[in-house]
Amino acid sequence: MDDPKTLVSTEWLAAHLKDPDLRILDASWFMPGSDRDPKAEFDAAHIPGARFFDIDEISDLRSDLPHMAPPVEKFMSRLRAMGVGDGHQVVVYDSTGIFSAPRVWWLFRLMGQFDVAVLDGGFPKWQAEGRPVEDMPPVIRDRHMTVRRQNQMVKDVTQVSSAAKLGDYVIVDARAADRFSGATPEPRPGLRSGHIPGARNVPFGTLLTAEGTMKSPEEIRAIFDTAGVDMTKPVITSCGSGITAAVLSLALERIGKADHALYDGSWTEWGAFPTLPIATGDA
């Protein structure tokens, strides 16, 4: 079920690789302490024609929080410098499978650009199938990008706090179950353990197959249902720092659930505020 607005297969990308208006972005990002350098790995090998999207740099560096959504002007200028703009079909991948690429998919949508898809299975699947890679930088030509920020797609801490109190949204946390319950400490120092009161837990990995591809829409619906996610309400996705929350956002879009927003500060923000309530244990 290839959909150029959500998810495309390696077969689809291989068939369209030479399309003049295709732009491919490597959005690899790794957890702090992983000892992996995504840019160095990109320079060594990437899908032909790909550009590197630096999630940490193309962000709001005025914020103390990691990789918050960038100002509109910064997003436009960085993408223009990469030769990505209006009229392009964008495909985003990462070197984990489906991990950080959905974050960039969500950023494009936040900026009003909807012709963007995540590569299902990412670079590992592409390589496993013996498809071409290169280590050459692409030829860049400037392309204007029109941005219309979709403010309803992102939530700040005040809005999420209100949603938790009123229950008018369902908050869904993408972190692993032991982090959600507070059984294990957070990887970032100084954060409390637990979750936003009333939140439901759908660890992002449960939405993926053993091969690192996204499960079918039917399986995705069942996973959200089992987690107690009330689909009659709009959804706010959350995680550790706003990366894997976008995997949930992508999965929701795949099942036709369009009224979702992402809590950009996520637990890095919530867990650092001593005055914000937390819950522990299972949802």
Side-chain angles (χ1 to χ4, degrees), residues 21-241:
D21 283 328
L22 178 74
R23 293 294 180 270
I24 306 169
L25 300 179
D26 182 328
S28 298
W29 178 90
F30 303 113
M31 288 289 290
S34 67
D35 293 325
R36 292 182 67 179
D37 182 338
K39 180 59 165 60
E41 292 186 19
F42 169 83
D43 289 340
H46 52 260
I47 295 174
R51 288 97 158 120
F52 182 71
F53 188 105
D54 189 335
I55 286 175
D56 284 329
E57 197 283 322
I58 306 177
S59 68
D60 188 351
L61 298 180
R62 301 167 301 181
S63 173
D64 293 333
L65 297 168
H67 43 251
M68 294 287 280
V72 165
E73 297 78 15
K74 183 174 186 179
F75 185 84
M76 290 172 62
S77 67
R78 293 295 190 273
L79 270 294
R80 180 170 184 166
M82 280 191 271
V84 180
D86 294 342
H88 283 149
Q89 170 63 51
V90 177
V91 175
V92 192
Y93 73 88
D94 64 58
S95 53
T96 302
I98 294 182
F99 179 62
S100 53
R103 168 71 186 192
V104 174
W105 168 85
W106 172 80
L107 271 178
F108 269 77
R109 294 174 73 87
L110 176 66
M111 300 297 176
Q113 293 280 335
F114 294 94
D115 291 327
V116 56
V118 170
L119 180 63
D120 201 14
F123 199 45
K125 188 172 189 289
W126 182 268
Q127 285 185 300
E129 293 167 350
R131 300 190 187 276
V133 298
E134 66 180 18
D135 59 4
M136 299 290 290
V139 176
I140 302 294
R141 295 181 182 87
D142 273 11
R143 182 78 161 249
H144 175 73
M145 175 178 283
T146 304
V147 169
R148 298 181 183 88
R149 196 174 194 270
Q150 309 294 302
N151 291 321
Q152 77 280 4
M153 292 188 61
V154 64
K155 299 294 181 186
D156 62 24
V157 66
T158 303
Q159 293 167 315
V160 175
S161 179
S162 174
K165 289 175 185 174
L166 297 176
D168 51 348
Y169 287 78
V170 57
I171 300 166
V172 189
D173 192 320
R175 292 176 299 155
D178 56 353
R179 288 174 64 190
F180 178 83
S181 68
T184 58
E186 285 294 301
R188 288 180 173 83
L191 299 183
R192 299 172 297 163
S193 297
H195 58 266
I196 299 168
R200 317 308 293 182
N201 186 209
V202 177
F204 79 93
T206 63
L207 298 169
L208 307 178
T209 68
E211 293 74 37
T213 56
M214 186 159 277
K215 290 180 178 177
S216 70
E218 294 73 25
E219 291 172 300
I220 292 169
R221 286 190 193 94
I223 290 165
F224 279 108
D225 185 57
T226 300
V229 177
D230 183 354
M231 287 294 185
T232 67
K233 295 180 179 180
V235 175
I236 297 173
T237 62
S238 181
C239 61
S241 65

